Amino acid sequence: MTRHAQLRLALGGLIALASGMGLGRFLYTPVLPMMVEGAGLSPSRAGLIASANFAGYLAGALAASLPGMSPRAWNWLVAGLVTSAATTAAMAVSDGFWPWVLLRFAGGWASAFILIFTAALVVSRLREAGRVLSTLHFAGVGTGIAISALISAPLVAD
């Protein structure tokens, strides 16, 4: 694998983690106070929505570790990315406590699949090539969180 191909692979992993983990998982946090105010959510209901995301993440991580998942890692990664994008977008257009709980659970599940299957695909291939570009791949989480902050800042500004 050429150096250029390795860099593209690591950057692809970064983008996948930025979108699935950074945006899909953490965009919700800065807009939560606005959701509480706008939707009239109680703090306990807001906490339950956030907890649904954590529960989905745990369930997704456990499901991704089941025997037989690895041979279809690419398919599961794509499914996670599509689900993460869809659930994040649906949060903006849906209304109500239960739809949000279900969307955050599914989004958490998708985030776990993205983290696990990008690591399985990207890190193993980079290791085979003898490169240590996996740090660039994992920088995607922080990159996505930073992008989430930039996206949400105008929304939550007074």
Side-chain angles (χ1 to χ4, degrees):
M1 180 183 300
T2 67
R3 173 95 169 125
H4 181 69
Q6 294 167 20
L7 185 58
R8 281 192 358 236
L9 179 62
L11 286 173
L14 181 144
I15 292 167
L17 287 181
S19 63
M21 294 291 297
L23 291 170
R25 195 149 176 243
F26 293 105
L27 184 60
Y28 169 75
T29 303
V31 298
L32 179 60
M34 187 173 63
M35 288 176 65
V36 167
E37 184 180 321
L41 291 174
S42 68
S44 63
R45 282 194 159 213
L48 285 171
I49 294 170
S51 296
N53 186 255
F54 299 138
Y57 190 81
L58 175 61
L62 293 171
S65 69
L66 291 173
M69 296 295 276
S70 294
R72 294 176 299 211
W74 175 252
N75 295 337
W76 290 119
L77 171 58
V78 171
L81 288 166
V82 169
T83 301
S84 179
T87 57
T88 301
M91 284 294 293
V93 296
S94 65
D95 192 19
F97 174 71
W98 288 110
W100 287 341
V101 167
L102 294 173
L103 287 168
R104 296 310 300 151
F105 182 87
W109 184 293
S111 290
F113 269 41
I114 293 165
L115 177 64
I116 290 168
F117 292 118
T118 57
L121 293 167
V122 173
V123 174
S124 65
R125 289 191 63 204
L126 289 174
R127 188 178 316 128
E128 288 170 9
R131 301 301 300 180
V132 189
L133 288 174
S134 58
T135 54
L136 179 60
H137 159 71
F138 285 111
V141 177
T143 302
I145 292 170
I147 293 168
S148 292
L150 293 172
I151 290 170
S152 63
L155 300 173
V156 298
D158 289 329

